[in-house]
Amino acid sequence: MENSEFAKLFWQIAELLELKNENRFKVRAYQKAAQNIENFSDDITGVFKKGGLKALENIPGIGESIAEHIEELIKTGRIKKYEKLIKEFPRGFVEMMQVPGIGPKTALLLKKKLKIDSIEKLQKASERGLLKNLPGFKEKKIENVKKGLELKARSKGRFLLSEADEYVKAIVGQLEKLKEIDQILPAGSFRRGQETVGDIDILVTSKKPGPVMDTFTKLPQVERVLAEGPTRSSVILKNGMQADIRVLEPSNFGAAAHYFTGNKQHNILIREMAVKKGLKISEYGVMKGNRRIAGKTEAEIFAAVGLPYIPPELRQGTDEIDLAKKGELPKLIETSDIRGDLHTHSSHSDGGNSIEEMAEAAKKLGYEYLAVTDHTVSTRVGGGQTEKELLKELAEIDKLNSRLNGFRVLKGAEVDILPDGSLDFSDEILKQLDVVTVSVHSNFKMPREKMTNRIIKALHNKYVNILSHPTGRLIGKRDPYAVDIEKIIKAAKATGTYLEVNAYPERLDLSDVHCRRAKEQGVLLSINTDSHAALQLQLIKYGVLTARRGWVEKRDVINTRPLEKLLKLLYAKRK
Ligand code: DGT
Ligand code: CA
Ligand code: CA
Ligand code: ZN
């Protein structure tokens, strides 16, 4: 995390406490901390890594409780106190603070002067040019708010797949306990593994819908009930996401599963095929005249129109049906095919766990290897290491490997691609590593051609194995930098570099579409989590889902290989 991010959070806490009329000294403490962090020349994360809480408390303006917040933020990615505080304000208020340029005070000002209490109203006011009349709203600030609004608008009402997943798990977990329920299937975009989900669609089969509806609408995750009927209900969950449930006859299950999994375009194409065969497909089954000929399983639905089973991730309404007809569907990669993670961080840079803890967690997932790829010195964000510090880390890895049976920690680094395309570390150092991933962490706003050449230059280094998060996007937060991805794919192919599918839920980078392009061009991929804590290794499944949506098979991914084969692939470029 960058110093400015810590500072921003503390400014926000201060403002929120101020709005609550909290004790002046408390407010002042957060302001002081924020100010000092902004002016602090060293990297806060790095200071904590090296000296712990004590070292933080030595920074002017940082006392014990602020130091603890920083620790919490580094280790868990959140501050509980902040999350609790934010819940005391109306949702629109908190929503507006997600727009860059808008803090609590501005949010309050907007409410007071213009009665704005939602992003929607802010959008309207911005369009009508009302913002320029507000105190403190200069041209630059207005421009920032506009940009922030644009980004928000594009992700409007959509949630990260991982966030939907948390709710789905909680909901399914509770419904499963009901003896009245036979089958449960979360359908829709969630089942298709889409990177963002608009709403959750849950199908259940039951002979007694009453108790099912009762339980569903009273779940602790439910904020309010939109509609409750005998076989279908809709609710708004605590995070603002909608969830729909439908109770079905078991004999309809396959037809409903297919219909509600979508996507819509895929459904339309399937129904057109059915019509040509004199059939009628609906969510209730497949009809031939007045006779029902299928509906219990999804496979039956596909079979009725002469197709093999198409996995949900491929149901995108593009060319999957044509290729299914020709028998050219891929055998998609599975999470269980992954044998190790090649992009992770330890407490040597900005990770929350030691190398050993990371390795233990990887072993628990059944992995054979794990590459530790801590940041390099230019990434101040990540407490990046110098060459000398890296050498110490490598010695530690050697020691650890001599103790770990049947598991290998691979030596790695996530090396910064500097603005001119050169790398942060010398070849002398890189050649001592098993896995070198490179990535862009600075100067995002370069012109497209310059950025493309910058990255391609890095790929030409013979020690560079993987280009990490190739477009730099953060879903709903930051657009990809301008880059010619086709050229990058070609350069990866030409240089024998692998492209990453970063599984971190707000990255998913390469995206599904880019995965498919890379595969078509014969570029091998590496699906990695970019974990900054041991628990995050489990995020791998989101990367796998994204790859599946990109038609990726086991053989297209280097970290499905056993260790020896993987090492061959990693060292091939050096010859
Ligand atoms: P989302 O929620 O925006 O992320 O996307 P989906 O795909 O989950 O869409 P949703 O929740 O509106 O509907 C779930 C599925 O139900 C959708 O994927 C296909 C099916 N469906 C919904 N409306 C229609 C429709 O008008 N025609 C057809 N053919 N299928 C529909
Ligand atoms: Ca949906
Ligand atoms: Ca829906
Ligand atoms: Zn990383």
Side-chain angles (χ1 to χ4, degrees):
M1 241 177 112
E2 208 146 4
N3 286 4
S4 64
E5 289 174 78
F6 287 108
K8 193 171 145 210
L9 213 54
F10 291 136
W11 283 124
Q12 284 201 351
I13 294 180
E15 285 188 36
L16 290 171
L17 291 174
E18 211 174 7
L19 292 175
K20 275 182 61 188
N21 278 327
E22 278 269 353
N23 178 317
R24 199 158 52 81
F25 294 103
K26 219 164 143 185
V27 175
R28 186 72 199 114
Y30 283 99
Q31 290 171 340
K32 233 168 75 188
Q35 193 138 41
N36 277 289
I37 291 171
E38 271 176 3
N39 295 324
F40 189 59
S41 58
D42 216 342
D43 168 43
I44 293 282
T45 310
V47 168
F48 173 70
K49 293 295 155 191
K50 293 205 182 85
L53 279 174
K54 278 255 147 52
L56 288 178
E57 283 174 43
N58 281 337
I59 298 173
I62 294 189
E64 193 184 328
S65 69
I66 301 271
E68 278 167 7
H69 284 336
I70 294 175
E71 176 182 28
E72 191 184 348
L73 207 52
I74 291 172
K75 287 201 167 149
T76 68
R78 49 197 276 226
I79 300 180
K80 282 217 186 85
K81 179 179 169 137
Y82 174 71
E83 286 178 2
K84 230 173 99 191
L85 191 60
I86 254 188
K87 288 214 176 90
E88 296 175 32
F89 292 84
R91 182 182 295 133
F93 193 83
V94 175
E95 189 185 280
M96 285 210 300
M97 288 198 318
Q98 292 167 9
V99 178
I102 300 203
K105 263 198 193 138
T106 309
L108 200 69
L109 183 79
L110 288 165
K111 167 122 197 183
K112 259 198 186 147
K113 299 265 176 184
L114 297 173
K115 296 206 165 49
I116 294 173
D117 56 8
S118 70
I119 290 193
E120 210 180 307
K121 287 183 193 163
L122 180 62
Q123 176 75 43
K124 286 213 178 96
S126 162
E127 282 162 14
R128 285 189 206 138
L130 298 178
L131 300 182
K132 64 174 186 289
N133 304 328
L134 291 170
F137 269 71
K138 304 227 170 64
E139 213 169 299
K140 178 116 199 260
K141 175 153 183 164
I142 293 177
E143 196 48 41
N144 276 344
V145 170
K146 266 193 193 146
K147 275 209 191 112
L149 280 170
E150 266 169 38
L151 202 59
K152 269 264 153 245
R154 264 177 284 142
S155 61
K156 197 181 165 202
R158 302 198 67 83
F159 297 80
L160 290 181
L161 180 59
S162 57
E163 187 170 349
D165 196 11
E166 270 175 39
Y167 277 91
V168 166
K169 258 195 229 128
I171 294 169
V172 169
Q174 291 165 90
L175 292 179
E176 258 169 5
K177 292 188 200 139
L178 290 181
K179 58 179 185 320
E180 288 86 359
I181 289 185
D182 299 321
Q183 296 179 84
I184 308 182
L185 180 77
S189 52
F190 175 80
R191 184 169 179 230
R192 301 195 312 275
Q194 209 166 283
E195 62 195 31
T196 61
V197 170
D199 69 4
I200 295 174
D201 308 280
I202 293 179
L203 306 178
V204 303
T205 57
S206 172
K207 298 222 166 63
K208 284 190 188 150
V212 177
M213 286 306 174
D214 225 39
T215 305
F216 178 72
T217 53
K218 292 191 178 64
L219 290 172
Q221 285 77 17
V222 170
E223 168 90 19
R224 63 196 161 93
V225 178
L226 291 176
E228 184 171 2
T231 59
R232 49 194 292 183
S233 297
S234 291
V235 299
I236 298 289
L237 302 169
K238 293 276 190 220
N239 67 342
M241 182 167 33
Q242 184 173 328
D244 302 336
I245 193 170
R246 283 181 180 75
V247 185
L248 314 160
E249 286 286 321
S251 61
N252 287 345
F253 183 71
H258 181 262
Y259 181 87
F260 289 109
T261 295
N263 72 6
K264 202 166 153 179
Q265 188 57 28
H266 168 92
N267 288 356
I268 290 170
L269 294 174
I270 295 280
R271 261 184 282 158
E272 281 173 6
M273 285 181 79
V275 170
K276 281 189 196 141
K277 292 187 189 298
L279 304 173
K280 193 169 171 295
I281 293 187
S282 74
E283 64 257 54
Y284 302 106
V286 183
M287 303 291 290
K288 187 168 197 166
N290 288 329
R291 202 160 50 86
R292 212 180 105 97
I293 60 163
K296 198 164 165 41
T297 68
E298 270 190 326
E300 279 179 24
I301 307 295
F302 287 112
V305 291
L307 289 177
Y309 179 84
I310 302 178
E313 294 90 339
L314 298 184
R315 300 180 201 167
Q316 298 173 17
T318 54
D319 55 355
E320 74 274 8
I321 292 173
D322 290 338
L323 289 162
K325 264 188 220 159
K326 291 193 227 158
E328 287 174 16
L329 288 181
K331 185 175 180 325
L332 296 177
I333 182 170
E334 319 247 347
T335 301
S336 58
D337 293 329
I338 301 286
R339 295 189 191 231
D341 201 321
L342 301 182
H343 180 174
T344 69
H345 298 272
S346 78
S347 45
H348 283 266
S349 64
D350 59 345
N353 290 96
S354 68
I355 299 178
E356 180 158 15
E357 286 164 347
M358 295 298 287
E360 286 304 326
K363 270 171 84 171
K364 275 210 192 100
L365 290 181
Y367 284 173
E368 291 170 28
Y369 47 83
L370 174 89
V372 180
T373 54
D374 279 311
H375 289 290
T376 59
V377 62
S378 286
T379 314
R380 260 181 28 110
V381 197
Q385 302 195 97
T386 60
E387 293 188 343
K388 219 168 119 196
E389 286 166 333
L390 176 74
L391 291 177
K392 265 202 236 152
E393 181 173 24
L394 299 188
E396 185 184 324
I397 292 176
D398 278 333
K399 252 201 236 151
L400 186 59
N401 273 331
S402 65
R403 278 193 286 130
L404 290 171
N405 260 337
F407 186 88
R408 170 88 168 265
V409 177
L410 297 170
K411 296 172 179 171
E414 179 180 10
V415 183
D416 253 47
I417 305 177
L418 302 176
D420 67 355
S422 63
L423 297 178
D424 224 3
F425 279 173
S426 65
D427 286 0
E428 263 334 288
I429 291 289
L430 298 184
K431 73 161 60 139
Q432 301 180 50
L433 301 173
D434 303 307
V435 186
V436 176
T437 95
V438 291
S439 53
V440 169
H441 284 120
S442 63
N443 295 62
F444 293 114
K445 294 209 168 94
M446 283 184 160
R448 183 177 159 99
E449 205 185 330
K450 231 174 143 191
M451 180 63 95
T452 306
N453 291 337
R454 169 186 182 181
I455 294 172
I456 289 177
K457 184 173 168 196
L459 302 191
H460 275 93
N461 181 303
K462 68 173 175 177
Y463 299 106
V464 168
N465 299 121
I466 300 171
L467 173 63
S468 280
H469 39 74
T471 77
R473 70 161 176 179
L474 297 176
I475 298 170
K477 276 196 192 156
R478 184 174 79 202
D479 281 333
Y481 35 72
V483 68
D484 186 338
I485 197 74
E486 290 293 329
K487 274 196 181 158
I488 299 287
I489 290 172
K490 288 212 171 75
K493 176 74 186 166
T495 57
T497 315
Y498 310 116
L499 294 180
E500 180 173 83
V501 183
N502 192 294
Y504 207 78
E506 68 176 21
R507 288 197 183 271
L508 300 179
D509 179 11
L510 297 178
S511 66
D512 46 11
V513 174
H514 290 158
C515 282
R516 192 163 174 196
R517 281 302 293 156
K519 179 197 158 103
E520 282 166 2
Q521 304 284 317
V523 171
L524 293 180
L525 303 169
S526 180
I527 306 178
N528 306 316
T529 59
D530 204 349
S531 286
H532 285 70
L535 276 176
Q536 293 175 350
L537 290 173
Q538 298 169 23
L539 300 175
I540 195 78
K541 64 178 170 185
Y542 303 116
V544 172
L545 279 167
T546 301
R548 284 170 64 89
R549 289 179 57 83
W551 291 61
V552 170
E553 302 180 83
K554 180 178 177 181
R555 60 166 180 229
D556 302 320
V557 177
I558 61 170
N559 50 324
T560 60
R561 308 286 200 276
L563 180 63
E564 287 311 315
K565 289 209 168 125
L566 172 79
L567 287 172
K568 268 200 191 128
L569 285 174
L570 292 173
Y571 281 83
K573 196 178 173 185
R574 300 188 184 186
K575 292 213 182 95

